[in-house]
Amino acid sequence: MPQDPMDFEWSYWIEWGRERILWLLAGHLLVSQVSRVLVEKYKPWCLMVYGMAACWLLLGVKGFAVILLHAAVSFAVAQFQLSLLTWLCSLILLSTLRIPAVEETKRRWYDTENEYYLLLFTVSVRCLFCTSFSLEYCWHRPTQKSSHSFLWMLAYVFYYPTFHNGPLMNFDEFIKQMRRQEAFSVKSNLSILIVGIIRIFFWWFLAELMIHLMYIHALYSSALPLESASYWALGGLALAQVLFFYVKYLVLYGVPALLLQMDGLKPPALPCCVSLMHSFTKMWRSFDVGLHRFLVRYIYVPMGGSQSNLLGMLFSTALTFAFVSYWHGGQSYLWYWGALNWFGVIVENGVKRILTISLIQDVI
């Protein structure tokens, strides 16, 4: 039975996974486990070298040079230890991905559009990793100097399981866990690997069933069936789409999360089922946990967050969603999406504050 071809993201990553990425992830797993047994102390550098080699292999020398250049520029700017300057640098580097002349130059490096898009997606995610390291560098104490070197930045930026699509792990969490040396058990790791593979295959099989049987995205791409559908049918289609999105990211984040566990790291929690969510706030906290931690630590809290007055909280929340919309591409529909999510979060928080008033509680 032919599958629904309209979900670009699923088709794209499954194709790349089958061709090369899964094999490179298997290579990472082998290097990681061997280094944990033989040279635990040098494991971060073994994984760094492997990640750089994998990047070179997939993206070519020019793609590798772009990511290395982004890391070097971010590190150089971080030396001033000014958070505002670091953010300005990060936004400028991110904006270079949207300059038409630069886009055309990068396209000419590759034979296919898929190869160019792999570079685009990878650099977008690497920008967040460079930003995380640079801001942690701005905030680090003199006693932490050795753990905020350029070598550690490369180990973080070129860590392969999270390289192309995430999930995002902040630098402070990464280095704390990577430097921690724990007792290694082949039997324990093997059981984690087997159980993890079974779960991922189950999620992948479920996603493939939805792609082959439900044709959710094909229906959304045509106006005619949507116009003739009842409101109940439209609601069902919307629910089916977000459920597929949830299962899709169980696979896309589940594979790197399993490798993080095999490396002795604690990955961000996998997405929470959307059917269990009833609020915008919970959705942002529990769907992409890594991105949520990034936004809270580097944007929301530094800008005042919930500790500031009402206007301050509105501003810090708006800035957070503005960055999310811009990072995802900055198209007009993404700004509408970000604004609606901001409005939903603000309304929920406003209602919660109202409900804390003693008079309202008495009425309830």
Side-chain angles (χ1 to χ4, degrees):
M1 184 179 292
Q3 72 173 41
D4 182 351
M6 300 306 294
D7 188 86
F8 169 78
E9 189 177 34
W10 178 256
S11 304
Y12 182 84
W13 289 117
I14 290 298
E15 183 182 340
W16 268 108
R18 286 171 177 163
E19 287 183 1
R20 294 188 185 181
I21 291 178
L22 279 179
W23 298 105
L24 288 171
L25 289 172
H28 170 93
L29 178 62
L30 180 62
V31 170
S32 168
Q33 299 311 294
V34 170
S35 62
R36 287 189 77 180
V37 173
L38 301 179
V39 284
E40 174 76 17
K41 184 178 178 182
Y42 300 103
K43 182 183 75 172
W45 319 124
C46 294
L47 297 181
M48 178 192 75
V49 171
Y50 181 85
M52 295 173 87
C55 172
W56 193 308
L57 179 67
L58 272 188
L59 300 176
V61 62
K62 291 178 179 176
F64 172 79
V66 166
I67 293 172
L68 193 60
L69 179 63
H70 274 236
V73 170
S74 297
F75 185 79
V77 172
Q79 302 306 302
F80 294 98
Q81 295 191 286
L82 296 171
S83 298
L84 186 60
L85 190 61
T86 291
W87 265 116
L88 184 63
C89 171
S90 298
L91 291 173
I92 290 172
L93 289 175
L94 197 57
S95 69
T96 60
L97 302 179
R98 298 162 177 77
I99 299 173
V102 176
E103 285 182 327
E104 285 306 311
T105 301
K106 290 176 181 175
R107 273 191 169 90
R108 286 196 291 270
W109 296 348
Y110 301 105
D111 297 326
T112 64
E113 281 285 292
N114 274 2
E115 291 175 291
Y116 164 70
Y117 281 128
L118 185 64
L119 174 65
L120 182 65
F121 297 148
T122 303
V123 174
S124 297
V125 176
R126 291 309 93 198
C127 278
L128 296 185
F129 279 70
C130 289
T131 303
S132 176
F133 174 88
S134 300
L135 289 170
E136 295 294 343
Y137 187 94
C138 292
W139 302 340
H140 84 282
R141 296 185 294 274
T143 53
Q144 298 173 304
K145 190 174 182 180
S146 63
S147 60
H148 288 73
S149 63
F150 186 60
L151 202 59
W152 268 111
M153 183 184 195
L154 293 181
Y156 175 59
V157 169
F158 285 97
Y159 181 68
Y160 195 68
T162 61
F163 191 68
H164 297 294
N165 194 40
L168 185 58
M169 189 177 189
N170 292 342
F171 179 71
D172 62 317
E173 299 169 2
F174 174 83
I175 192 168
K176 190 187 302 179
Q177 296 178 38
M178 188 62 82
R179 297 185 78 177
R180 183 180 63 224
Q181 295 186 10
E182 295 179 335
F184 177 72
S185 167
V186 176
K187 185 178 178 181
S188 174
N189 258 24
L190 189 60
S191 65
I192 291 171
L193 180 63
I194 291 170
V195 172
I197 288 174
I198 291 170
R199 291 172 69 189
I200 289 165
F201 264 104
F202 173 75
W203 297 329
W204 171 78
F205 179 71
L206 184 58
E208 285 291 324
L209 274 180
M210 296 174 81
I211 279 284
H212 281 83
L213 299 177
M214 299 180 72
Y215 295 89
I216 314 155
H217 303 89
L219 286 169
Y220 268 111
S221 65
S222 175
L224 187 61
L226 295 180
E227 288 172 354
S228 59
S230 67
Y231 290 127
W232 281 103
L234 290 174
L237 280 171
L239 179 60
Q241 188 176 45
V242 295
L243 284 172
F244 175 77
F245 191 76
Y246 159 65
V247 175
K248 174 171 67 176
Y249 268 88
L250 285 179
V251 177
L252 297 182
Y253 279 178
V255 174
L258 177 58
L259 290 175
L260 282 161
Q261 283 184 284
M262 297 296 291
D263 290 346
L265 308 180
K266 184 181 179 182
L270 291 177
C272 184
C273 180
V274 291
S275 295
L276 302 176
M277 297 183 195
H278 58 274
S279 72
F280 285 94
T281 308
K282 187 178 179 183
M283 180 71 181
W284 279 99
R285 284 179 180 168
S286 24
F287 192 86
D288 191 335
V289 175
L291 180 61
H292 175 259
R293 288 175 180 169
F294 177 92
L295 297 172
V296 169
R297 181 168 178 82
Y298 302 122
I299 302 178
Y300 185 69
V301 171
M303 294 308 298
S306 58
Q307 302 302 313
S308 57
N309 57 31
L310 181 60
L311 283 177
M313 190 194 73
L314 291 173
F315 177 71
S316 55
T317 309
L319 206 59
T320 302
F321 281 110
F323 175 77
V324 172
S325 301
Y326 183 69
W327 178 72
H328 274 90
Q331 291 88 350
S332 58
Y333 71 89
L334 288 168
W335 292 111
Y336 297 138
W337 167 73
L340 287 170
N341 275 274
W342 171 79
F343 181 72
V345 169
I346 291 303
V347 168
E348 284 179 359
N349 280 284
V351 171
K352 283 180 184 177
R353 290 194 178 196
I354 291 170
L355 292 177
T356 59
I357 299 171
S358 56
L359 181 61
I360 301 296
Q361 288 183 339
D362 292 340
V363 171
I364 292 173

